[in-house]
């Protein structure tokens, strides 16, 4: 009997469902209730697949749907924070494995991004109020070098900073970058906090702990280039032109900077990436402001030279838009430009056509002041240059500048004591003139800034991977006390020096022959407000130096940098009654003792 060999009818092959674009807004990985939405910009891609550990059964692959404006997206139910993922960009027959440009966390071992939920952090019950910008004393530090490791080590040292009296710390960049000992100015990610420092929640813990101590936190950000090593944005979707970097970068003469290719600020998606990053730091980490690295290379193709023909209007527009959006959300947060070209347009108000920064680093203070301090011959030291540095401002406002004698860049070349006396940076000349520099920083109008280790007169240059010498806190206790007393005067700790927080300054006595200078600081004026700073920039002491004063009556010595408690000679300087005749354009005068290379700060009760 012949068996029926007829096979059952074959079922038609199931056509895979076409991918559906995400219904949730936002770029990168955005958690929602029950899943995560993923979106990436890759306008020249033929397709994009999402690979990740979404179902706890190893890798899963999800095709993304073409979305608006060159994006690809999908919702992935069941995905959640902690999942690893990457984008596989298919272009021209190749599959390019790409890290999410918006990745908030990276796994450096596997080269993947990690879904992150910023809302899971406990900020505690105590809100923080940013101090007024005129009240700030900033302390710049490198997370890896300051505490010896990461955010937790910096947090453990916050009491040292609070005791010093600073009320704002500025962190050098903390994003993932190339090299363990990097300063952070070679970013390979814009949103991802370095895992080696403690990651995103480690930074949040540091900010919370700083705020609990009344200390604001600023962060350095880099938008003028992306790192040249392991750059995840380079030719992201395969497209590029003339050997340049593709969709995230300029692909013509505007591309080059000294450190890597410049982002294309004219592309809306690139500009939004940067603006979203600004918001990310200020909102998700509750940072109190940002310091923008080398804005001269954002606004001009040449950067280091004044070349109007190379101005980048796209860069100017980015700066304005970032400051406008920041001001609309939180006008008290401080945006600082490190431009060093002296252009007042950086801090000019948006309504007047400026870029709208709250302040900029002042090259016209740091360079002449360091030159005056480092000049080995007293007779060659220029008091006129010092006067210009003290009185300098932008658009007539000296509080729109950050002033300092040491930053990471200056400290890399040499600390002030080593610049003064390279052969003997721990010696008498080096210490005294470095302390004079601190007086100038903390009594001139502006936002004063110290660099890590400056409060103990660190002499070793700042190097990547170098560590702060905490033993100097004990060995240089007198110097540390000097800085503490000086910071407290600047902050009007005892309500005797209100004028140091004001805008008004007049360098009214310049003795070029004897190298003595005096200036008057005030806010509203009057007792406990008017402050006189008298500096001796020569190796000669005075038992009584006659100086003009803003009002008759008793003038108190609030600080004598030559005092014994600071480890110096203790040249006598006493309170004095201003009974003398008008002098130096002032209505009264008195005499004060002042040691060699020393400063005296005076005010009335």
């Amino acid at each position: 009997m012949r068996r029926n060999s007829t096979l059952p009818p074959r079922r038609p092959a199931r056509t895979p469902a076409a991918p559906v674009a995400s219904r949730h807004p936002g770029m990168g990985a955005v958690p929602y209730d029950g899943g995560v939405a993923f979106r990436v910009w890759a306008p020249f891609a033929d397709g994009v697949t999402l690979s990740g550990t979404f179902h706890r059964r190893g890798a899963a692959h999800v095709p993304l749907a073409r979305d608006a404006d060159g994006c690809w997206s999908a919702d992935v139910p069941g995905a959640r924070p902690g999942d690893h993922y990457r984008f596989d960009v298919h272009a021209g027959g190749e599959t390019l494995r790409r890290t999410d440009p918006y990745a908030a966390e990276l796994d450096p071992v596997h080269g993947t991004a990690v879904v992150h939920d910023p809302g899971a952090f406990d900020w505690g019950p105590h809100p923080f109020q940013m101090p007024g910008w005129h009240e700030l004393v900033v302390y710049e530090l490198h997370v890896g070098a300051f505490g010896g490791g990461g955010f937790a080590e910096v947090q453990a040292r916050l009491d040292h900073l609070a005791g010093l009296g600073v009320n704002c710390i500025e962190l050098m960049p903390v994003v993932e970058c190339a090299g363990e000992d990097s300063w952070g100015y070679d970013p390979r990610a814009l949103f991802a906090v370095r895992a080696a420092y403690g990651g995103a929640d480690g930074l949040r813990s540091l900010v919370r702990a700083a705020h609990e101590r009344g200390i604001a936190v600023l962060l350095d950000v880099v938008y003028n280039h992306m790192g040249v090593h392991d750059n995840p944005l380079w030719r992201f979707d395969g497209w590029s032109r003339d050997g340049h970097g593709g969709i995230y970068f300029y692909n013509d003469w505007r591309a080059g900077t000294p450190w890597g290719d410049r982002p294309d600020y004219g592309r809306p998606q690139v500009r939004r990436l940067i603006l979203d990053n600004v918001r990310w730091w200020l909102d998700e980490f509750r940072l109190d402001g940002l310091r923008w690295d080398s804005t001269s290379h954002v606004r001009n193709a040449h950067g280091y030279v004044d070349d109007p023909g190379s101005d980048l209007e796209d860069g100017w527009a980015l700066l304005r838009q970032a400051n406008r959006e920041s001001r609309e959300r939180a006008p008290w947060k401080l945006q600082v430009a490190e431009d060093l070209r002296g252009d007042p347009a950086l801090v000019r108000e948006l309504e007047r056509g400026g870029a709208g920064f709250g302040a900029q680093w002042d090259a016209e203070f740091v360079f002449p002041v360091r030159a005056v301090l480092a000049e080995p011959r007293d007779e060659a030291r220029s008091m006129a240059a010092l006067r210009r540095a003290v009185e300098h401002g932008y658009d007539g406002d000296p509080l729109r500048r950050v002033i300092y004698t040491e930053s990471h860049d200056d400290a890399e070349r040499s600390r002030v004591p080593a610049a003064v006396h390279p052969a003997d940076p721990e010696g008498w000349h080096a210490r005294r003139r470095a302390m004079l520099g601190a007086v100038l920083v903390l009594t001139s109008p502006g936002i004063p800034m110290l660099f890590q280790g400056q409060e103990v007169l660190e002499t070793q240059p700042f190097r990547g991977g170098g560590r702060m010498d905490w033993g100097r806190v004990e060995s240089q206790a007198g110097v540390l006390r000097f800085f503490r007393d000086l910071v407290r005067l600047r902050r009007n700790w005892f309500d005797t020096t209100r004028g140091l927080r004001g805008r008004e300054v007049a360098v009214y006595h310049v003795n070029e022959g004897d190298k003595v200078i005096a200036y008057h600081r005030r806010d509203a004026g009057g007792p406990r407000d008017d402050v006189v700073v008298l500096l001796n920039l020569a190796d000669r002491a005075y038992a009584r130096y006659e100086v003009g004063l803003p009002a008759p009556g008793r003038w108190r010595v609030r600080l004598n940098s030559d005092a014994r408690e600071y480890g110096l000679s203790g040249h006598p300087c006493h309170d004095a009654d201003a009974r003398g005749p008008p002098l130096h354009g002032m209505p009264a005068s008195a005499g004060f003792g002042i040691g060699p290379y020393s400063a005296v700060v005076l005010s009335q009760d």
Side-chain angles (χ1 to χ4, degrees):
M1 181 177 178
R2 188 173 181 182
R3 297 179 180 273
N4 188 345
S5 61
T6 303
L7 297 175
R10 179 173 297 183
R11 294 179 179 177
R14 178 177 296 177
T15 302
V20 178
S22 172
R23 57 190 176 88
H24 298 279
M27 298 296 295
V30 183
Y32 63 86
D33 187 15
V36 177
F38 294 87
R39 182 173 283 107
V40 65
W41 180 54
F44 293 97
D46 300 321
V48 179
T49 304
L50 175 72
S51 299
T53 57
F54 305 129
H55 303 295
R56 306 297 181 270
R57 297 191 301 269
H61 302 279
V62 178
L64 303 188
R66 189 180 290 275
D67 208 335
D69 299 324
C71 291
W72 302 77
S73 69
D75 291 331
V76 181
R80 61 190 185 187
D83 281 332
H84 290 227
Y85 70 98
R86 73 166 186 266
F87 295 116
D88 294 330
V89 178
H90 311 292
E94 290 186 272
T95 297
L96 309 172
R97 294 185 172 185
R98 295 295 189 240
T99 305
D100 181 6
Y102 278 80
E105 184 179 345
L106 298 180
D107 179 349
V109 175
H110 299 97
T112 54
V114 181
V115 179
H116 181 76
D117 180 10
F121 185 79
D122 178 11
W123 284 101
H126 304 293
F128 175 72
Q129 180 62 51
M130 171 80 165
W133 298 351
H134 68 294
E135 300 177 16
L136 293 178
V137 176
V138 181
Y139 186 99
E140 185 191 11
L141 64 89
H142 181 278
V143 170
F146 180 75
F151 298 124
E153 288 82 357
V154 175
Q155 185 172 329
R157 300 285 187 180
L158 287 176
D159 287 341
H160 166 78
L161 298 176
L164 178 60
V166 301
N167 57 359
C168 181
I169 58 175
E170 179 184 319
L171 308 177
M172 294 169 64
V174 298
V175 295
E176 295 286 2
C177 56
E180 292 183 4
D181 296 330
S182 171
W183 287 7
Y185 297 99
D186 193 25
R188 60 180 300 268
L190 290 183
F191 292 79
V193 181
R194 291 190 73 173
Y197 287 169
D201 282 349
L203 175 58
R204 292 188 179 97
S205 294
L206 173 59
V207 173
R208 182 181 63 188
H211 285 175
E212 289 170 352
R213 292 164 173 80
I215 299 173
V217 185
L218 308 180
L219 177 67
D220 283 12
V221 290
V222 182
Y223 301 131
N224 53 68
H225 77 287
M226 288 292 288
V228 296
H229 302 293
D230 193 19
N231 185 341
L233 300 184
W234 188 259
R235 299 178 183 173
F236 188 82
D237 63 359
W239 177 87
S240 68
R241 179 180 293 161
D242 298 332
H244 291 293
I247 59 173
Y248 281 97
F249 303 92
Y250 286 114
N251 287 261
D252 54 24
W253 62 274
R254 297 168 291 181
T257 76
W259 316 284
D261 275 24
R262 179 183 285 111
D264 184 347
Y265 311 121
R267 288 180 182 262
Q269 297 86 349
V270 178
R271 193 163 57 248
R272 179 45 54 190
L273 175 77
I274 295 172
L275 295 171
D276 286 347
N277 190 246
V278 171
R279 179 178 298 202
W280 167 252
W281 297 120
L282 297 179
D283 293 357
E284 301 298 344
F285 291 86
R286 301 194 181 184
L287 291 164
D288 304 293
L290 302 175
R291 176 265 194 192
W292 290 53
D293 182 67
S294 194
T295 53
S296 59
H297 286 85
V298 174
R299 62 182 183 84
N300 193 280
H302 288 165
Y304 285 136
V305 298
D306 290 320
D307 181 8
S310 298
D311 252 17
L312 299 174
E313 183 51 42
D314 293 340
W316 279 107
L318 170 70
L319 300 178
R320 295 187 190 102
Q321 188 174 357
N323 285 318
R324 181 178 297 108
E325 292 186 5
S326 175
R327 188 179 68 176
E328 289 171 353
R329 292 195 310 276
W332 60 88
K333 296 196 175 187
L334 177 61
Q335 299 279 1
V336 179
E338 186 238 7
D339 199 83
L340 302 181
R341 301 302 307 162
D343 190 339
L346 270 297
V347 295
R348 192 170 294 145
E349 294 85 353
L350 293 166
E351 294 77 8
R352 296 172 55 213
F357 281 94
Q360 64 173 311
W361 282 20
D362 189 4
E364 294 184 56
F365 183 91
V366 59
F367 297 136
V369 168
R370 281 180 66 104
V372 166
L373 297 174
E375 171 55 55
R377 299 166 300 153
D378 286 355
E379 64 274 15
R381 196 164 290 118
S382 172
M383 297 300 97
L386 207 58
R387 176 179 187 167
R388 289 191 295 270
V390 170
E391 291 187 334
H392 183 247
Y394 294 104
D395 272 3
D397 188 351
L399 290 183
R400 306 304 292 271
R401 62 180 186 158
V402 176
I403 55 175
Y404 55 95
T405 56
E406 287 190 0
S407 70
H408 60 272
D409 285 325
D410 308 288
E412 181 193 26
R413 291 185 287 269
S414 67
R415 297 286 190 144
V416 172
V420 170
H421 203 309
D424 188 16
E426 301 280 4
W428 186 86
H429 282 270
R431 292 167 66 85
R432 283 177 172 272
R433 301 217 294 266
M435 291 166 73
L436 277 181
V439 172
L440 286 161
V441 167
L442 286 156
T443 63
S444 296
I447 299 174
M449 183 179 75
L450 304 174
F451 184 66
Q452 65 177 50
Q454 190 171 359
E455 74 274 24
V456 289
L457 293 187
E458 177 62 73
T459 61
Q460 296 301 309
F462 175 68
R463 300 283 191 247
R467 299 290 181 261
M468 181 164 165
D469 182 0
W470 285 99
R472 295 182 71 88
V473 169
E474 298 296 330
S475 65
Q476 305 296 323
V479 171
L480 182 60
R481 181 174 180 177
F482 161 78
F483 273 88
R484 181 204 65 187
D485 291 351
L486 192 52
V487 168
R488 289 180 176 183
L489 289 181
R490 171 59 178 76
R491 292 186 58 195
N492 191 32
W493 200 279
F494 306 106
D495 193 28
T496 58
T497 51
R498 286 194 296 270
L500 293 181
R501 301 188 309 184
R503 285 180 165 80
E504 299 297 325
V505 61
V507 181
Y508 64 89
H509 174 55
V510 178
N511 184 340
E512 199 69 69
D514 292 324
K515 306 306 175 186
V516 178
I517 191 170
Y519 49 93
H520 175 207
R521 297 292 319 282
R522 71 183 181 91
D523 184 17
R528 311 177 80 86
D529 188 307
D530 284 309
V531 177
V532 168
V533 183
L534 179 65
L535 298 102
N536 178 10
L537 276 293
D539 188 2
R540 173 189 174 184
Y542 295 89
R544 182 182 174 88
Y545 190 94
E546 295 289 336
V547 64
L549 294 167
R554 176 148 290 234
W555 285 79
R556 303 286 189 185
V557 177
R558 305 302 183 185
L559 180 136
N560 172 16
S561 70
D562 198 27
R564 290 191 185 278
E565 57 261 37
Y566 304 145
L568 296 178
S569 61
H571 189 88
C573 182
H574 304 293
D575 300 347
D577 290 321
R579 296 173 179 164
L583 185 65
H584 306 140
M586 291 293 183
S589 61
F592 298 90
I594 186 168
Y597 301 126
S598 297
V600 175
V601 179
L602 308 164
S603 74
Q604 292 183 301
D605 289 336

